[in-house]
Amino acid sequence: MFQYRIAYGCWLNDSRTKPIPDEDWPSVRIDGDTLESLDETMAFLKGAGYNCFDVFGLITNHSWEDDIASTVGEERRRQVKQAIDIVHRHGLKLIYGLGVYSWGFDGIIARDERVRGTSAQAMCASSDEADAIMRRVIDFVGDNFDIDGFHLEAADQGRCECARCQRFESDIDYYNSVNARVARYIRSRWPEKLLLVNTSGYLAWGDVFTGEQLEKIRELAREIDIFIDVGSHGLFVDPRDRAALLKDFPASFGTANGFWVYPPQRWDRLRFLIPHHGENHRTLKSVYEDGGRSCELYLSPLVNPGAEITALCNGLFLQNPDSTAGENLRRAIDMLYRPATDMRRERIAAILDGAEKLFFECSHPERDRALPEEFSDGVERIFTWSREHPERARPGELFLEPLFGVGPGFPCYLTVYFDAEGRRKYREGMRELLNLVREAIAEQPSERLGRIERCIEGALADIDLADAALSG
């Protein structure tokens, strides 16, 4: 089985049952709905076989104060400890998402020229004061909160490229340096804590590590426990190179899902139906066969039936990598839907398999980069894309609405990854699935089947919305 079966938040409210339409991404709100959703999600994850929960946004997103400690008032400390207690009460380990020289330092960089290089978001890696601030953040988190490990993320907001930082031969050397620096410091204080590095931002999306770069990654792996090739828009470790790399790789290796729906913070959770249990099974089985024993699987709100069935099927596979996708789907259906007969089980399986197959048959994996901004997802301008092979940058993470904004956003997934013919076929197929769902409800009424019905109705309304917007 997989050793580290990690569910990835990735932000605290990503699995929240109720949306947060009135805040821009990423919201770090902790309220009663956040904690209630967390409690329900952790109970589900434990039952599904996961053993770790990895999350950003417990303390802050962009705004560490200069003294670090005053960032978190007494009420927030109480809420954070309550959230951590929920995770532990359900028997999972809590891995704290830690921005390494970035994610949280915007204000400090703006105020303190000693840590400021060429980036407004990433502290200078050649600054002694930046090193000291990073250590103070680690001390504050580790001394005040009962966490079990750190997720180190250094690269997805870029780097400093000042004259002093030109000493690093490449971006990979830069990111490896700061990650290793932080890992060694954490080891010196808490040798028992898990250390995970995620590759987000290490390369332009669509590129892969060269042989020389893989050797540098191997050096970093000696400092940590878990190395995740996340694959948000393509894997950085070419699958053809993976088995050879993992023969003597010093850390436990894994990936994310292969494909996942990035949680739409501002949307109704029953507005879409995109199960991806089969696609994830293919990815995770390939990783396991190559020697990977870890994963970091993105969560979506489990009230959505597609997200729920995918998370459960994945958890079942992680515990039994010899199991087939079909076996896991039917076991998950038995656990969630409790069908009265084999025929009813097969009908539900046909609905969920059919929804997944329909999505991938009707969509195209390459981004439509010519779309006007109002019809796109907003990430084209914030990510770095391969110059040589931009067509290799494929989801990975699927954004249903624009990442940034306030209020429910336009259903951009139906324009970025669907053309007019694809939407027509998707509408036709979803209508057929809707009829199957209604037949199943008539035969054996079910609250979960009712949610599937609402999801399909929501997707159909969004197909009409997308067509109308593009024709107008």
Side-chain angles (χ1 to χ4, degrees):
M1 75 169 56
F2 282 68
Q3 180 180 5
Y4 297 110
R5 304 181 297 278
I6 304 170
Y8 187 23
C10 95
W11 291 87
L12 182 60
N13 284 298
D14 281 356
S15 56
R16 177 187 172 104
T17 299
K18 296 179 181 178
I20 302 178
D22 57 343
E23 289 185 30
D24 203 349
W25 177 90
S27 171
V28 294
R29 177 190 301 182
I30 299 181
D31 58 15
D33 288 333
T34 301
L35 296 173
E36 182 180 356
S37 295
L38 183 66
D39 191 29
E40 293 171 353
T41 300
M42 293 306 106
F44 179 94
L45 293 175
K46 181 64 176 178
Y50 296 83
N51 57 12
C52 297
F53 178 58
D54 180 349
V55 66
F56 279 77
L58 274 176
I59 296 176
T60 186
N61 49 11
H62 298 295
S63 53
W64 288 111
E65 296 296 333
D66 294 357
D67 67 342
I68 307 302
S70 66
T71 306
V72 189
E74 287 304 314
E75 176 64 12
R76 183 71 180 197
R77 288 191 191 215
R78 184 190 65 78
Q79 292 171 329
V80 172
K81 290 179 179 180
Q82 190 174 355
I84 294 171
D85 286 346
I86 288 171
V87 176
H88 287 158
R89 187 169 70 245
H90 289 290
L92 282 83
K93 292 184 176 181
L94 190 284
I95 300 175
Y96 178 86
L98 179 71
V100 175
Y101 290 71
S102 60
W103 277 117
F105 300 101
D106 301 29
I108 290 176
I109 292 168
R111 294 186 295 269
D112 190 345
E113 63 180 11
R114 295 174 299 173
V115 306
R116 189 188 317 130
T118 60
S119 172
Q121 295 177 302
M123 293 192 296
C124 174
S126 300
S127 162
D128 292 339
E129 182 59 23
D131 292 343
I133 289 172
M134 194 69 239
R135 289 193 294 270
R136 289 203 296 273
V137 168
I138 294 166
D139 291 342
F140 174 74
V141 174
D143 288 338
N144 289 281
F145 303 100
D146 183 20
I147 63 169
D148 303 291
F150 288 90
H151 166 143
L152 309 182
E153 192 143 332
D156 75 336
Q157 288 197 318
R159 54 163 286 190
C160 175
E161 299 191 27
C162 72
R164 289 188 296 168
C165 286
Q166 295 305 310
R167 64 193 172 91
F168 297 102
E169 292 182 10
S170 68
D171 290 349
I172 291 175
D173 292 294
Y174 181 101
Y175 299 132
N176 277 356
S177 175
V178 293
N179 274 326
R181 204 180 303 175
V182 166
R184 286 192 289 268
Y185 182 71
I186 294 171
R187 283 273 192 256
S188 73
R189 292 220 51 205
W190 303 282
E192 76 286 357
K193 291 196 186 298
L194 288 172
L195 295 179
L196 176 154
V197 164
N198 178 305
T199 58
S200 183
Y202 254 68
L203 296 175
W205 294 118
D207 289 342
V208 295
F209 291 130
T210 65
E212 180 182 356
Q213 290 169 334
L214 287 174
E215 289 308 306
K216 293 180 177 181
I217 294 300
R218 188 189 302 277
E219 293 174 13
L220 172 65
R222 295 189 177 96
E223 308 282 357
I224 60 176
D225 300 297
I226 306 163
F227 183 85
I228 298 294
D229 183 16
V230 62
S232 298
H233 299 274
L235 295 168
F236 291 157
V237 179
D238 191 320
R240 294 170 296 184
D241 298 331
R242 195 164 55 201
L245 174 72
L246 298 189
K247 285 181 180 178
D248 57 353
F249 196 66
S252 185
F253 180 94
T255 67
N257 311 51
F259 174 89
W260 62 94
V261 174
Y262 197 92
Q265 178 178 296
R266 306 181 302 280
W267 264 23
D268 186 319
R269 279 38 184 129
L270 302 182
R271 188 172 168 173
F272 59 96
L273 184 70
I274 310 175
H276 40 92
H277 48 281
E279 189 71 17
N280 287 183
H281 182 273
R282 284 185 285 275
T283 295
L284 294 170
K285 188 168 185 63
S286 174
V287 170
Y288 189 84
E289 289 175 345
D290 286 343
R293 294 297 181 268
S294 293
C295 64
E296 188 179 48
L297 305 185
Y298 279 76
L299 279 173
S300 282
L302 297 177
V303 69
N304 181 282
E308 180 184 51
I309 200 72
T310 300
L312 181 50
C313 287
N314 287 345
L316 295 173
F317 174 76
L318 298 176
Q319 298 170 86
N320 179 14
D322 291 327
S323 58
T324 68
E327 289 168 347
N328 291 330
L329 176 61
R330 283 155 181 81
R331 184 180 170 195
I333 289 169
D334 287 345
M335 294 169 69
L336 296 175
Y337 292 83
R338 303 187 182 280
T341 66
D342 290 346
M343 182 181 300
R344 290 174 184 174
R345 178 190 303 111
E346 290 307 310
R347 180 177 297 183
I348 297 170
I351 291 167
L352 295 167
D353 272 339
E356 176 176 22
K357 182 180 180 182
L358 185 66
F359 174 83
F360 287 105
E361 285 183 348
C362 296
S363 60
H364 50 78
E366 292 184 32
R367 299 174 57 82
D368 184 344
R369 299 177 183 275
L371 279 172
E373 183 71 17
E374 63 265 31
F375 302 138
S376 193
D377 52 21
V379 303
E380 190 73 26
R381 55 186 169 82
I382 64 169
F383 292 153
T384 302
W385 308 92
S386 173
R387 294 180 180 178
E388 290 78 17
H389 297 286
E391 75 283 355
R392 294 179 182 170
R394 301 182 174 194
E397 58 189 0
L398 178 78
F399 295 97
L400 304 183
E401 65 172 344
L403 182 59
F404 302 105
V406 176
F410 178 78
C412 58
Y413 78 104
L414 292 167
T415 50
V416 176
Y417 294 106
F418 285 75
D419 58 22
E421 178 62 11
R423 286 191 298 275
R424 186 194 67 77
K425 290 180 179 179
Y426 197 44
R427 178 190 288 110
E428 183 178 283
M430 290 297 260
R431 284 174 174 165
E432 292 175 1
L433 285 177
L434 184 58
N435 290 333
L436 285 178
V437 172
R438 288 172 175 166
E439 289 173 8
I441 292 172
E443 190 171 272
Q444 183 179 339
S446 159
E447 187 270 338
R448 278 190 169 85
L449 286 172
R451 280 190 265 139
I452 292 179
E453 181 181 33
R454 281 188 56 190
C455 288
I456 295 175
E457 290 170 345
L460 287 168
D462 278 336
I463 295 169
D464 290 343
L465 177 60
D467 279 346
L470 289 175
S471 66

